[in-house]
């Protein structure tokens, strides 16, 4: 048995790493598809010319990156809370305080993003963008409900009658 594992160049860790790499590739592919879909959706919704689209995406990507980082901090705090449920003697006060602080920073990042968009593109374009973001988000939720989710989506089993 050991000879065949060595001969094949694989071990259990290698297989595990292979699955992790495959999952990471799937996530990256999914992210790229989402980005392309979002770009096409926004350009249609906002009726952007090529010239305006280039200027818009450069600014939007920079602004949305800050929001993404703030949102990731919130999600990390939620994950820490979830893990704490399985730990005896967890410091829930600190974990909840951390979550509230992260939520506050996310709110500030969202407000700053809107102000930056207003400065760069005006109120009308900012309003259209906010509506387009929500419409895109809802469209993605509807796709998930139709079973076209991303790599991490796990569908609950329907009860059998």
């Amino acid at each position: 048995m050991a000879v065949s594992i060595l001969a094949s160049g694989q071990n259990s860790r290698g297989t595990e790493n292979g699955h992790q790499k495959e999952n990471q590739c799937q996530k990256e592919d999914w992210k790229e598809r989402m980005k392309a879909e979002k770009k096409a959706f926004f350009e249609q919704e906002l009726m952007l010319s090529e010239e305006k689209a280039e200027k818009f995406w450069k600014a939007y990507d920079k602004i949305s990156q800050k929001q993404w980082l703030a949102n990731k901090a919130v999600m990390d705090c939620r994950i820490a809370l979830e893990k704490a449920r399985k730990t005896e003697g967890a410091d829930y006060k600190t974990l909840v305080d951390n979550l509230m602080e992260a939520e506050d920073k996310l709110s500030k990042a969202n407000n700053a993003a809107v102000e930056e968009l207003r400065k760069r593109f005006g109120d009308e374009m900012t309003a259209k963008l906010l509506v387009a973001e929500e419409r895109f988000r809802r469209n993605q939720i509807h796709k998930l409900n139709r079973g076209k989710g991303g790599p991490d989506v796990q569908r609950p089993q329907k009860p059998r009658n």
Side-chain angles (χ1 to χ4, degrees):
M1 182 83 147
V3 173
S4 65
I5 291 173
L6 291 173
S8 69
Q10 290 186 345
N11 60 30
S12 62
R13 192 171 281 180
T15 304
E16 190 176 297
N17 288 340
H19 290 300
Q20 288 173 346
K21 286 180 183 177
E22 185 179 323
N23 287 343
Q24 187 63 33
C25 287
Q26 286 178 343
K27 285 181 183 180
E28 291 302 318
D29 289 347
W30 183 78
K31 285 179 186 178
E32 288 303 313
R33 281 196 327 269
M34 287 284 87
K35 192 173 185 177
E37 283 183 37
K38 188 175 195 176
K39 191 172 185 175
F41 185 85
F42 279 21
E43 287 177 4
Q44 182 180 355
E45 289 287 307
L46 302 174
M47 296 181 279
L48 297 173
S49 66
E50 267 188 55
E51 184 182 315
K52 280 186 177 182
E54 187 176 325
K55 181 181 173 186
F56 170 79
W57 286 110
K58 189 174 183 178
Y60 181 82
D61 287 344
K62 184 178 176 182
I63 292 165
S64 64
Q65 178 65 18
K66 292 176 186 175
Q67 289 176 292
W68 183 86
L69 290 171
N71 192 55
K72 184 180 181 321
V74 169
M75 295 309 296
D76 289 346
C77 288
R78 291 184 184 278
I79 290 168
L81 271 174
E82 187 174 342
K83 287 180 180 177
R85 289 182 33 215
K86 300 172 187 168
T87 306
E88 217 174 290
D91 184 2
Y92 288 110
K93 181 186 180 331
T94 299
L95 291 168
V96 171
D97 287 347
N98 290 346
L99 175 59
M100 293 300 94
E101 184 179 332
E103 290 277 6
D104 187 47
K105 287 180 180 179
L106 176 58
S107 178
K108 288 177 181 173
N110 288 336
N111 289 336
V114 169
E115 287 309 311
E116 182 66 24
L117 290 165
R118 285 175 135 174
K119 268 194 271 183
R120 289 178 183 251
F121 303 110
D123 288 333
E124 183 178 355
M125 177 68 152
T126 300
K128 288 179 181 180
L129 173 62
L130 294 173
V131 169
E133 283 181 327
E134 180 60 16
R135 290 190 65 217
F136 181 78
R137 187 186 71 80
R138 287 182 183 183
N139 285 345
Q140 295 307 310
I141 290 169
H142 290 299
K143 281 184 182 181
L144 289 173
N145 288 335
R146 290 191 303 259
K148 298 178 182 175
D152 293 336
V153 175
Q154 294 179 353
R155 299 269 162 235
Q157 296 293 322
K158 292 183 180 179
R160 295 182 183 188
N161 295 333

